Amino acid sequence: MFNDAEPNKNHELLVTLENKLGDRFHCITQNIDNLHQRAGTKRIYEIHGNLHEMRCSDECSKEVYKIPHKISLKEINEDLTIKEKKLLKCPKCGESTRPNILWFDEYYNERNFKLHSSLKLAKNTTLLIILGTSGATNLPNRLVEQTLKYGGHVIDVNLEDNHFTKSFSMKKQFYSVRKDIHSFLLNLLETIH
Ligand SMILES: [Zn+2]
């Protein structure tokens, strides 16, 4: 399913925005589908990991590996071949690997999920724009708190109220924009020369 997905127009508009802003732009994403990179986003922080990466399930080292391309796509009831299973073993200790993504009962950390560097970005930014997320998980909320605490502004682009609205709408520097992401990004790009 993930491999069939293609970057959409909004992924591309974010690339245009990054090209205009250069080092002033950073994309912190909860997406694990790799589509931002495929569209061309460079300054990216994947706080929930990347489904195309794997690491040792036994944590024998800190190494993160790309999932080998040689592994072909499967039907839902189709198993991996013996060769493919071998490719998915940890190259260092031979233990099984696991996807390098954050499962529901796991904790954020810096090494795999950019916990500290994303919080640092949020602290130093003047404008944090929230696109396409409702704020149901912990770190995105902390990012908003962090930006507001250090004097930055937050714009939440969402068609209806969400977790962010509930927690932050009374804050002076928090704005809800009732627009779809596409028209918001188009308008934003018009204002940047
Ligand atoms: Zn290992």
Side-chain angles (χ1 to χ4, degrees), residues 55-61 65 89-97:
R55 60 186 151 91
C56 180
S57 60
D58 209 27
E59 313 253 314
C60 78
S61 79
Y65 309 95
K89 296 286 180 200
C90 169
K92 291 227 163 92
C93 75
E95 192 51 65
S96 297
T97 54

Side-chain angles (χ1 to χ4, degrees), residues 72-110:
S72 62
L73 290 182
K74 303 292 176 207
E75 293 301 326
I76 196 143
N77 54 0
E78 196 184 353
D79 205 354
L80 294 158
T81 65
I82 293 170
K83 252 189 195 168
E84 287 172 331
K85 282 182 183 167
K86 269 190 193 153
L87 286 172
L88 290 173
K89 296 286 180 200
C90 169
K92 291 227 163 92
C93 75
E95 192 51 65
S96 297
T97 54
R98 50 157 289 166
N100 187 32
I101 58 176
L102 186 75
W103 298 126
F104 264 109
D105 57 350
E106 295 181 330
Y107 295 101
Y108 290 102
N109 62 35
E110 174 61 23

Side-chain angles (χ1 to χ4, degrees), residues 166-182:
K166 219 196 273 172
S167 316
F168 302 108
S169 58
M170 73 297 288
K171 301 273 183 188
K172 244 203 307 193
Q173 308 206 112
F174 181 92
Y175 309 90
S176 289
V177 174
R178 301 294 183 208
K179 247 186 201 177
D180 63 273
I181 294 173
H182 192 66

Side-chain angles (χ1 to χ4, degrees), residues 49-155:
N50 187 314
L51 198 60
H52 293 259
E53 295 172 351
M54 60 185 196
R55 60 186 151 91
C56 180
S57 60
D58 209 27
E59 313 253 314
C60 78
S61 79
K62 295 175 179 177
E63 215 67 45
V64 172
Y65 309 95
K66 290 270 171 234
I67 292 183
H69 288 298
K70 284 182 193 158
I71 296 172
S72 62
L73 290 182
K74 303 292 176 207
E75 293 301 326
I76 196 143
N77 54 0
E78 196 184 353
D79 205 354
L80 294 158
T81 65
I82 293 170
K83 252 189 195 168
E84 287 172 331
K85 282 182 183 167
K86 269 190 193 153
L87 286 172
L88 290 173
K89 296 286 180 200
C90 169
K92 291 227 163 92
C93 75
E95 192 51 65
S96 297
T97 54
R98 50 157 289 166
N100 187 32
I101 58 176
L102 186 75
W103 298 126
F104 264 109
D105 57 350
E106 295 181 330
Y107 295 101
Y108 290 102
N109 62 35
E110 174 61 23
R111 181 168 22 111
N112 297 312
F113 308 113
K114 302 287 182 287
L115 172 64
H116 300 299
S117 36
S118 64
L119 283 167
K120 195 173 159 199
L121 279 179
K123 177 181 172 182
N124 291 325
T125 193
T126 49
L127 178 60
L128 175 70
I129 300 172
I130 305 168
L131 302 170
T133 181
S134 63
T137 49
N138 170 283
L139 183 53
N141 279 281
R142 287 180 63 193
L143 295 170
V144 173
E145 273 168 15
Q146 189 84 341
T147 298
L148 293 173
K149 183 176 164 193
Y150 288 92
H153 291 76
V154 177
I155 299 176

